[in-house]
Amino acid sequence: MTQPTTTPARRFQLPNLSTLGPLIALLIACLFFTFQSDRFLTLGTFSLILQQASFVGVIAIAQTLIVLTAGIDLSCGMIMALSSMVIGKLAVEQGVPVPLAILAGFAVGAFVGWANGLLITKWKLPPFIVTLGMYSIVFAAVKIYSKATSVPMPADGLTFLAQRFTIFGTPFTYGSLLMVALFVLTWIFLNYTAPGRHIYALGNNQEAVRLSGINTSRLLLSVYTFAGVLYGVAALLLLERIGGASPEAGTTENLESITAVVIGGTSLFGGRGNVLGTLVGVLIVGVFRSGLTFMGLDSVYQNLITGILIILAVATDQFSRRKA
Amino acid sequence: MTAAAHLPVTPPGPQTARPLVMEARGLVKRYGHVTAIGGADFELRPGEIMAVIGDNGAGKSSLIKALSGALIPDEGEILLDGQPVHFRTPSDARRAGIETVYQDLAVAPAMTIAENLFLGRELYRGGALGRALKLIDRRRMLTEATEHMKGLQFAIKSMSQPVETLSGGQRQGVAVARAAAFAQHVVIMDEPTAALGVREGNMVLDLIRKVRDRGLPVILISHNMPHVFEIADRIHVHRMGKRAALLNPQKISMADTVSVMTGAIRPEDLSADVLAH
């Protein structure tokens, strides 16, 4: 061990491109739309973007945790839809007290997430296949359970997340605050707690983690179960957003959340990434959506740009890994 | 890291006067009609490097698995510091102070050296809150990692650099240092230099010697005869599921050792002075 490495010892290392890249992309997008429309750069727009992004944002938190373990969850949106249907049916049609209905919704989300985790850890099936199958199963469950009809919320029910508080005269919803708070809490968990670091290690080298005496099955199982709970939280935000539980919900959130995770700089191979990058990824998609609307452009341009960003993000990840 | 630091420093080399650190008597493991271990003995003295060699299929990995808890023998007993032990899992062996280093670089590449050293044994921040929330103490982990690596003369400037910035030998060095830090009794190294080039392999050999010199006995499984002869104090030759001979690398030639290993020379035909005692 006589050869010292060339990397100089630095207390604070500059974040690498996959961490900074998304933030730069977000700033450029904001600047661009500000020049295009002078109504764009307002706190009101920002508040709206946050509100629209909130339930996909919460799903994307769970998706980040799973992708960090080198897994993927295609059933996320459907679990959210099932959870929202459970909460809606119980609270509106069965007259169950709202807190109990919400708990039941969380429990259903946790159960389906746990089932995903069990199939992945005990039967050693690939996450892609397990969650693809679960997507279909839960899709059917939602349709059967709801008899393909939606449950509209009464005007006074479950609206606490839609209530607003004011910063600098601009109203923000508590739902947006909840999403941002969950991002920050998850970031602290991932970076400053032992289980958080083990999630990163799991995506790096599962065998090494197992050999170091960590129960990898239990860790993976808890990640998928906790993801299910987060889908329950997303269900609350969805109920508030669309004003009821819909049997048509949940079909696109898997790809939307993976988009946010990838644009945010988290590697699909696991073990590298940052949950705050995912928040930036969620915001980038939101900024393009509302920016293009302000410019009066069709939403297909949003698909075009999202596609380009995904490919750029994955290319950046690949190149930085090849260099390493 | 604290465990190793409190070990009494013993002079290098085998200590014949002191009791065995580890001993196995008459281990047997059968899978149906296949006998993986057929009455194998093993011994390890304080402060020695015991090389375990054997041809493919001789059953040396089964023996090592039994010693490291990855396999439960059908018969026989394993003694640690003279006390019988019964490992059911590798975690049992680890708790008893036996650490294993594997050949395939068992590290998490994107994580820092300090994090890899403490993987699964993170230091928590003080107070009930720190332990309850499992909040890691990055600063203390960094300091202790730096101190530990300095003790092994492992020349890496920053413990906060990701392991993937290191060469293959340095990565294996991290795995060896990790085992040395937590092992209280024995370090088992399974082909630690197999995946490495010549210079890198020598780096790791140096490190293994330093681990031994700090008082930790080492079991080294290797196919690489020059490496075995360079650092082993005694050689355990495994053949047909059991120990065929204990050799003294100072006295026997590499060619004769290989002959014993392959069965070309019967152990009974060896002269007494090449045997280790």
Side-chain angles (χ1 to χ4, degrees):
Chain A
M1 304 289 144
T2 44
Q3 297 287 313
T5 47
T6 46
T7 318
R10 257 190 313 212
R11 260 195 86 74
F12 298 103
Q13 295 202 323
L14 272 177
N16 55 14
L17 192 61
S18 57
T19 317
L20 269 180
L23 208 55
I24 294 169
L26 178 63
L27 288 178
I28 291 174
C30 286
L31 273 177
F32 174 75
F33 287 118
T34 306
F35 282 119
Q36 295 300 314
S37 161
D38 47 3
R39 290 169 305 147
F40 179 78
L41 195 70
T42 62
L43 266 180
T45 311
F46 182 63
S47 169
L48 191 67
I49 288 173
L50 271 184
Q51 192 192 351
Q52 286 175 340
S54 58
F55 68 87
V56 174
V58 171
I59 289 178
I61 294 174
Q63 191 74 261
T64 309
L65 291 173
I66 290 172
V67 169
L68 280 175
T69 68
I72 199 154
D73 191 351
L74 299 177
S75 61
C76 51
M78 270 308 151
I79 301 179
M80 169 190 71
L82 179 63
S83 184
S84 74
M85 193 54 78
V86 168
I87 297 172
K89 282 236 175 215
L90 289 182
V92 178
E93 293 184 357
Q94 255 113 67
V96 173
V98 171
L100 277 184
I102 292 174
L103 272 184
F106 286 7
V108 167
F111 173 75
V112 183
W114 173 79
N116 275 335
L118 204 66
L119 290 168
I120 290 162
T121 54
K122 287 279 180 288
W123 286 12
K124 316 267 182 229
L125 300 178
F128 186 94
I129 300 302
V130 167
T131 59
L132 182 64
M134 198 56 83
Y135 175 93
S136 220
I137 293 169
V138 179
F139 178 82
V142 170
K143 286 282 198 292
I144 295 166
Y145 178 54
S146 68
K147 302 189 181 68
T149 45
S150 53
V151 182
M153 284 285 146
D156 58 339
L158 278 176
T159 53
F160 53 94
L161 288 171
Q163 282 167 15
R164 286 154 206 277
F165 60 98
T166 318
I167 303 175
F168 298 123
T170 308
F172 285 84
T173 63
Y174 280 102
S176 313
L177 180 69
L178 177 65
M179 173 191 71
V180 174
L182 284 173
F183 265 106
V184 173
L185 283 176
T186 308
W187 180 78
I188 292 171
F189 164 73
L190 280 174
N191 284 284
Y192 294 98
T193 73
R197 300 316 293 163
H198 296 168
I199 288 176
Y200 274 92
L202 204 58
N204 265 267
N205 187 343
Q206 183 164 355
E207 192 59 9
V209 178
R210 199 183 59 77
L211 291 173
S212 69
I214 296 164
N215 188 335
T216 53
S217 295
R218 201 173 61 192
L219 183 61
L220 267 180
L221 199 57
S222 2
V223 168
Y224 280 91
T225 309
F226 178 66
V229 176
L230 283 178
Y231 303 147
V233 175
L236 284 180
L237 294 164
L238 176 79
L239 283 168
E240 171 263 307
R241 180 99 193 89
I242 64 178
S246 159
E248 311 295 329
T251 51
T252 56
E253 284 77 5
N254 49 11
L255 295 187
E256 284 172 29
S257 62
I258 293 167
T259 300
V261 168
V262 169
I263 291 180
T266 295
S267 168
L268 280 178
F269 298 99
R272 295 149 210 270
N274 187 333
V275 72
L276 292 184
T278 301
L279 176 58
V280 174
V282 167
L283 292 179
I284 288 176
V285 175
V287 162
F288 274 106
R289 182 187 297 137
S290 69
L292 292 169
T293 314
F294 271 100
M295 286 172 67
L297 283 174
D298 198 89
S299 69
V300 291
Y301 286 99
Q302 191 208 324
N303 294 16
L304 179 78
I305 289 164
T306 309
I308 293 172
L309 285 176
I310 290 175
I311 292 172
L312 273 180
V314 172
T316 314
D317 174 45
Q318 285 286 349
F319 291 138
S320 65
R321 283 162 60 89
R322 237 171 267 167
K323 235 179 4 192
Chain B
M1 304 266 144
T2 44
H6 296 310
L7 267 181
V9 180
T10 43
Q15 315 267 307
T16 32
R18 289 171 54 199
L20 297 172
V21 176
M22 201 173 194
E23 189 179 5
R25 295 185 196 139
L27 293 184
V28 174
K29 179 72 186 179
R30 294 190 194 89
Y31 299 98
H33 297 294
V34 182
T35 304
I37 314 178
D41 297 327
F42 180 80
E43 63 170 60
L44 183 69
R45 289 186 188 136
E48 76 169 333
I49 297 177
M50 170 71 90
V52 176
I53 64 170
D55 216 348
N56 289 337
K60 62 182 187 305
S61 48
S62 296
L63 170 70
I64 295 309
K65 278 182 182 164
L67 297 181
S68 64
L71 172 163
I72 304 168
D74 302 328
E75 290 169 35
E77 60 175 353
I78 298 173
L79 305 164
L80 195 62
D81 280 339
Q83 300 297 313
V85 286
H86 302 279
F87 302 141
R88 310 199 68 83
T89 65
S91 296
D92 288 349
R94 194 176 298 113
R95 270 191 289 276
I98 300 169
E99 289 286 325
T100 309
V101 177
Y102 302 89
Q103 67 175 77
D104 45 358
L105 307 172
V107 289
M111 304 184 75
T112 68
I113 299 171
E115 281 184 320
N116 267 284
L117 284 177
F118 284 100
L119 184 60
R121 279 177 274 223
E122 288 80 1
L123 301 176
Y124 297 146
R125 279 166 184 270
L129 193 70
R131 269 189 300 279
L133 297 178
K134 299 189 173 177
L135 291 174
I136 54 175
D137 193 335
R138 281 169 186 271
R139 187 171 303 173
R140 203 149 59 88
M141 277 163 52
L142 213 58
T143 326
E144 290 203 14
T146 311
E147 222 161 88
H148 178 65
M149 290 303 219
K150 206 185 277 172
L152 290 172
Q153 292 161 357
F154 191 100
I156 284 176
K157 282 183 182 162
S158 167
M159 291 300 133
S160 56
Q161 71 191 77
V163 164
E164 67 197 352
T165 61
L166 304 177
S167 70
Q170 288 171 321
R171 286 184 207 193
Q172 189 61 290
V174 171
V176 171
R178 179 189 145 79
F182 292 106
Q184 275 157 294
H185 291 292
V186 180
V187 180
I188 299 174
M189 311 223 188
D190 188 1
E191 300 277 4
T193 57
L196 304 175
V198 176
R199 205 174 59 91
E200 302 266 275
N202 286 333
M203 253 161 64
V204 172
L205 288 189
D206 265 353
L207 200 57
I208 296 172
R209 230 183 254 118
K210 280 181 197 115
V211 171
R212 187 257 327 258
D213 294 351
R214 293 173 97 199
L216 268 176
V218 174
I219 303 171
L220 173 74
I221 300 96
S222 183
H223 267 106
N224 188 319
M225 285 301 145
H227 283 178
V228 166
F229 272 76
E230 197 182 326
I231 65 169
D233 296 303
R234 293 193 292 167
I235 301 174
H236 168 125
V237 183
H238 211 71
R239 190 171 147 67
M240 320 258 287
K242 55 185 174 188
R243 181 169 69 191
L246 261 181
L247 303 176
N248 182 346
Q250 313 285 328
K251 299 280 170 61
I252 195 167
S253 72
M254 225 181 269
D256 283 354
T257 306
V258 173
S259 298
V260 176
M261 197 175 97
T262 56
I265 297 181
R266 290 189 306 162
E268 306 89 276
D269 298 339
L270 289 168
S271 70
D273 63 322
V274 302
L275 297 175
H277 301 285

